[in-house]
Amino acid sequence: MTAMNDNNEIISSRFIAAPVEKVFGAFSDSGKLEKWWGPDAFTNTVTEFDFKVGGIWKITMHGPDGKDYPNVSRFTDIVENGRIVYDHIEPVHAFTMTMTFVEKDGGCLLTWVMRFVTPGEAERLGHFISAANQQNFGRLEAVIQNQP
């Protein structure tokens, strides 16, 4: 499910039939993250992943069109198996992502709240990001199902 509100946010969530620890671990382990991050048909190269508050995350997303999309983020809050917050600082779209991991019915309710810095960004990008986030969740589920 994805929704937009009037606070320049895009909110996406999905129930994942796996323990919270496994879902959180698929993000906190850069090797696993590299396999599922981004929309369908994208691949990734993680060049820096300092998973701590203040740490930098650099990832280049390789699109199916052959274009590279470098991204730089800084972690601002991490609560193991509970929450990850980062500021996407460059390029293109400036936003803060808050990911929450909530144990529910033997699985994990994963929610992403993207709060954009520039007014109107959520509305302008909402359709694309809504679809991309749902694809991202699907890819995450596939990686989790294939890990021991």
Side-chain angles (χ1 to χ4, degrees):
M1 174 188 84
T2 300
M4 292 188 324
N5 64 26
D6 58 1
N7 294 322
N8 217 27
E9 293 179 343
I10 298 173
I11 302 167
S12 303
S13 63
R14 172 135 355 147
F15 176 80
I16 307 221
V20 166
E21 297 81 12
K22 205 167 194 180
V23 178
F24 187 90
F27 185 94
S28 63
D29 178 329
S30 64
K32 291 176 185 171
L33 176 66
E34 202 170 53
K35 294 176 184 174
W36 65 267
W37 190 254
D40 290 345
F42 276 72
T43 59
N44 300 291
T45 304
V46 174
T47 55
E48 187 173 343
F49 192 76
D50 191 11
F51 191 65
K52 66 181 183 187
V53 173
I56 297 293
W57 170 31
K58 293 182 181 179
I59 186 170
T60 299
M61 299 170 64
H62 311 288
D65 58 1
K67 292 173 100 175
D68 287 341
Y69 302 90
N71 292 265
V72 179
S73 299
R74 178 177 289 110
F75 295 106
T76 60
D77 187 30
I78 298 171
V79 176
E80 188 168 350
N81 300 321
R83 182 176 57 249
I84 299 169
V85 182
Y86 66 83
D87 289 331
H88 183 266
I89 50 180
E90 59 179 90
V92 187
H93 311 294
F95 62 88
T96 297
M97 170 75 91
T98 301
M99 303 172 154
T100 55
F101 305 78
V102 177
E103 186 175 336
K104 182 179 178 181
D105 300 328
C108 176
L109 178 61
L110 176 59
T111 302
W112 292 358
V113 178
M114 300 173 75
R115 177 179 264 289
F116 289 84
V117 174
T118 305
E121 282 288 282
E123 185 175 346
R124 189 171 71 77
L125 299 170
H127 179 71
F128 167 77
I129 288 177
S130 296
N133 284 354
Q134 292 306 315
Q135 292 172 18
N136 221 338
F137 289 152
R139 294 180 69 189
L140 167 61
E141 285 179 311
V143 165
I144 287 172
Q145 289 172 358
N146 291 324
Q147 55 177 307

